[in-house]
Amino acid sequence: MAFNPADSIQDLQFFGEFGGVNPSIEDSSTYTFLQANAMEELFETAKEGCYLYARHTNPNNKYLSDALAGMEGTEAAHCAGSGMGSISTLLMHLCSAGDHIVSSRTIYGGTYALMKNVLPRFSINTSFVNVTQLDAIEAAITPKTKVLYCETMSNPLLEITDIKAVSKIAKKHNLVLVVDNTFTPLLFSPIKLGADVVVHSLTKFINGTSDAVGGVTCGSHELIMGMMDVNSGTSMLFGPVLDGARSASMLKNLHSLPVRMERHSRNATYLAQKFQEMGLKVKYAGLESHPQHELMKSQMNKGFGFGGMLTLDVGTIEKANALMELMQNSNLGYLAVSLGFYKTLFSAPGTSTSSEIPEDEQEEMGLSPGIVRFSIGLDQDIERTFVNMKKCIESVL
Ligand code: PLP
């Protein structure tokens, strides 16, 4: 039977300390040992299932990590205090001075800035390529390349990566393929398509309530144990731990992720079709006009739709700003970065989340200043939303 990530969430069964239907919240930063020599042993061998100190891991962090490993179909996972906490510690674990990364150029601006401005200080350099051109990826690989990095659905251009094809390149050159699945949880299972490691910003769809920041790395047991190693793990030693109370609340939100993703997708599909009928420059992976629509159909999991993200190019940053202000004043959503909230969120990526990318590169990759990125909300009556959005769009264009 085909892998269904929602089943992994449905099948979770964690009891609380007193038989509660949710796991108890473990509110401790440090843990007792009954025998002194057990502590010594733990420092030397980091035994699994033993808790030492909450920066290493804590029970609620472990429950959430196990659930996300199940969702992604990996042996193990480890949560961090933010998506960037997961991404930075992973890359610092995988690469040493002198190593090289080949990355998609259309990635989250913070990841781009990490690779472009911070990692070179440790002699880890990155070549940015158009990940939809497989020969460009091959051409950028050098004997020093260790990691291939991409997003399932790129931010903010919503390009779809051919993960199966990219994973073949990674295997051929013995590289670790890391895929950021933040925009498309449940929709894609990158590990099943050949990726080695999946990262998420939990801050977005997975938590879904825009009240907390978190991240996760899902991969092999060896990778996760290595990152958590007491003496040499980047996660343990850089220390971006996710607080146990936050882990507990995110696990509860994870239970409704399948239902939420379906609704985000249904609403985004409706609006994208309507915008297209209006003759607007809309990009949505569920539209046949999207350049990788067929590719997405061939690699996505069925039943969750094409996701909640769409873009609308209104031509200029002035028009984009006017539209966003009008929509916020009409209570159609919030002018805010981030995604995966119950309410629609919109921002102009060229001047916000992707502003780290120099203007000439933005132009080359097709990131026009008039692009508005929407994370479509869970509106019950999306037809009413469209009627009101149409009024805003018509008064700005
Ligand atoms: N990856 C993607 C695709 C993102 O959109 C973001 C944040 O916007 C991140 C990673 C970073 O996550 P966080 O803000 O939780 O550190």
Side-chain angles (χ1 to χ4, degrees):
M1 228 165 59
F3 176 74
N4 182 345
D7 289 346
S8 311
I9 298 173
Q10 175 67 32
D11 294 347
L12 293 173
Q13 196 184 46
F14 300 136
F15 295 107
E17 196 179 354
F18 303 101
V21 295
N22 288 304
S24 308
I25 296 179
E26 169 57 61
D27 209 11
S28 298
S29 60
T30 190
Y31 295 83
T32 52
F33 284 76
L34 295 179
Q35 289 146 351
N37 63 0
M39 186 183 277
E40 193 182 328
E41 206 185 315
L42 189 60
F43 265 92
E44 278 168 11
T45 58
K47 264 198 194 145
E48 263 184 273
C50 286
Y51 294 99
L52 166 70
Y53 182 62
R55 170 158 47 78
H56 183 235
T57 185
N58 57 72
N60 295 101
N61 197 308
K62 176 90 172 87
Y63 283 127
L64 179 62
S65 300
D66 287 352
L68 293 166
M71 184 182 95
E72 289 298 352
T74 54
E75 288 173 359
H78 186 54
C79 291
S82 70
M84 286 313 297
S86 294
I87 294 166
S88 56
T89 48
L90 172 68
L91 294 178
M92 291 298 271
H93 174 81
L94 294 174
C95 299
S96 302
D99 288 343
H100 174 246
I101 300 171
V102 174
S103 171
S104 161
R105 60 186 185 171
T106 51
I107 51 173
Y108 166 59
T111 313
Y112 183 92
L114 172 75
M115 291 176 182
K116 186 154 181 158
N117 305 330
V118 180
L119 294 184
R121 287 169 39 207
F122 305 95
S123 294
I124 301 166
N125 291 306
T126 302
S127 300
F128 294 98
V129 297
N130 179 344
V131 84
T132 61
Q133 287 173 5
L134 300 176
D135 45 355
I137 302 178
E138 284 263 14
I141 295 170
T142 76
K144 293 184 171 173
T145 310
K146 276 277 165 65
V147 171
L148 260 181
Y149 189 96
C150 62
E151 296 177 357
T152 45
M153 180 181 279
S154 76
N155 182 8
L157 294 179
L158 313 185
E159 293 161 342
I160 306 298
T161 304
D162 186 343
I163 299 171
K164 275 190 189 168
V166 174
S167 80
K168 280 193 193 132
I169 299 176
K171 285 192 176 55
K172 181 172 149 200
H173 296 273
N174 205 17
L175 312 178
V176 181
L177 174 59
V178 178
V179 178
D180 183 331
N181 198 11
T182 301
F183 274 35
T184 50
L186 303 176
L187 278 59
F188 280 111
S189 298
I191 298 290
K192 302 292 168 197
L193 299 168
D196 300 295
V197 187
V198 172
V199 290
H200 281 278
S201 164
L202 303 177
T203 319
K204 313 291 160 40
F205 288 105
I206 290 183
N207 187 47
T209 39
S210 291
D211 57 353
V213 184
V216 70
T217 305
C218 305
S220 69
H221 188 261
E222 190 190 350
L223 172 87
I224 301 301
M225 286 301 122
M227 287 179 69
M228 290 171 68
D229 189 280
V230 179
N231 296 309
S232 60
T234 47
S235 177
M236 176 64 177
L237 300 176
F238 290 142
V241 68
L242 180 62
D243 182 73
R246 279 301 186 194
S247 307
S249 69
M250 287 187 183
L251 180 63
K252 283 175 270 194
N253 287 0
L254 181 66
H255 297 137
S256 61
L257 182 66
V259 182
R260 286 187 280 115
M261 289 315 293
E262 270 185 68
R263 176 57 72 99
H264 284 299
S265 293
R266 198 178 341 138
N267 284 353
T269 302
Y270 181 84
L271 290 180
Q273 279 166 350
K274 288 289 177 189
F275 291 159
Q276 188 165 262
E277 280 164 28
M278 285 172 70
L280 302 172
K281 277 172 99 175
V282 56
K283 196 163 180 195
Y284 180 62
L287 294 177
E288 279 175 17
S289 55
H290 186 289
Q292 290 98 29
H293 174 68
E294 288 304 323
L295 171 70
M296 176 148 181
K297 268 185 21 192
S298 70
Q299 299 199 359
M300 70 201 272
N301 295 318
K302 303 287 175 279
F304 307 104
F306 289 85
M309 303 303 296
L310 66 81
T311 62
L312 199 58
D313 187 350
V314 292
T316 63
I317 185 63
E318 291 74 22
K319 283 184 182 166
N321 289 345
L323 175 63
M324 292 189 295
E325 284 174 17
L326 195 55
M327 286 193 298
Q328 177 160 263
N329 293 339
S330 313
N331 201 6
L332 291 168
Y334 294 131
L335 202 177
V337 295
S338 204
L339 37 135
F341 197 36
Y342 81 95
K343 205 131 173 142
T344 294
L345 301 178
F346 33 81
S347 56
T351 49
S352 60
T353 48
S354 297
S355 55
E356 288 88 348
I357 303 173
E359 262 175 43
D360 54 332
E361 285 180 42
Q362 290 195 23
E363 200 182 315
E364 201 207 316
M365 64 176 70
L367 180 52
S368 123
I371 288 184
V372 180
R373 185 189 80 179
F374 288 76
S375 162
I376 304 300
L378 301 172
D379 312 27
Q380 212 276 328
D381 186 350
I382 197 66
E383 293 170 25
R384 182 184 72 139
T385 303
F386 171 68
V387 170
N388 292 324
M389 270 189 185
K390 188 168 178 249
K391 282 185 204 146
C392 297
I393 294 167
E394 282 172 346
S395 81
V396 166
L397 288 184

